[in-house]
């Protein structure tokens, strides 16, 4: 069992930046961020495998960066130049012992409760 806790969400103006953090109960080989806006399907934002393996959707690759945090069980998502359509609930996901280069929701075993990100002027 892996417990995940997300922090760092909130409200920001268009063009601003946010840094989301996810801390796992123990080291996970793969971690990822997903998001879900009202009325839309959950979509992958970024995945991290090992120390530095990353996967991004083409639509976000210029504005986001995923990395390990100061602790090995922490993952950080840096989001820049935020837009109103980035508004969503953001979820941390993890697999403890699998290398998961995937942004499919069914590839991930453990999920956090989610944290709200709102981009609005």
């Amino acid at each position: 069992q892996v417990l995940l806790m997300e922090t760092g969400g909130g409200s920001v103006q268009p063009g601003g930046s946010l840094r989301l953090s996810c801390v796992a109960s123990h080291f996970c080989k793969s971690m990822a961020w997903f998001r879900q806006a009202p009325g839309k399907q959950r979509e992958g934002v970024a995945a991290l495998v090992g120390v530095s393996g990353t996967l991004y959707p083409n639509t976000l690759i210029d504005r986001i960066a995923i990395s390990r945090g100061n602790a090995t069980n922490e993952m950080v998502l840096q989001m820049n130049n935020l837009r109103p359509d980035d508004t969503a609930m953001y979820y941390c996901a993890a697999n403890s012992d699998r290398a998961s280069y995937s942004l499919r929701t069914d590839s991930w075993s453990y999920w956090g409760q989610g944290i709200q990100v709102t981009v609005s002027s």
Side-chain angles (χ1 to χ4, degrees):
Q1 182 73 14
V2 176
L3 300 178
L4 302 169
M5 179 176 290
E6 304 104 333
T7 58
S11 296
V12 64
Q13 292 188 339
S17 298
L18 274 179
R19 185 178 171 93
L20 304 183
S21 174
C22 175
V23 176
S25 52
H26 57 268
F27 175 79
C28 294
K29 192 166 189 176
S30 304
M31 299 183 77
W33 285 98
F34 288 77
R35 67 185 183 184
Q36 188 166 18
K40 295 189 176 181
Q41 289 189 331
R42 192 169 295 190
E43 63 175 356
V45 174
L48 178 68
V49 179
V51 175
S52 59
T54 58
L55 177 66
Y56 302 103
N58 290 335
T59 53
L60 295 173
I61 193 168
D62 292 334
R63 300 191 292 121
I64 60 171
I66 192 171
S67 63
R68 292 282 179 182
N70 291 330
T72 57
N73 61 335
E74 182 184 15
M75 171 187 63
V76 174
L77 180 72
Q78 178 69 40
M79 301 189 293
N80 301 317
N81 192 22
L82 285 161
R83 307 188 306 219
D85 60 1
D86 293 316
T87 296
M89 188 73 78
Y90 283 71
Y91 296 90
C92 176
N95 287 325
S96 58
D97 57 2
R98 298 201 314 267
S100 302
Y101 282 101
S102 173
L103 294 175
R104 292 171 54 97
T105 55
D106 58 4
S107 295
W108 300 87
S109 299
Y110 302 102
W111 292 85
Q113 294 296 309
I115 193 165
Q116 180 67 37
V117 171
T118 301
V119 184
S120 174
S121 56

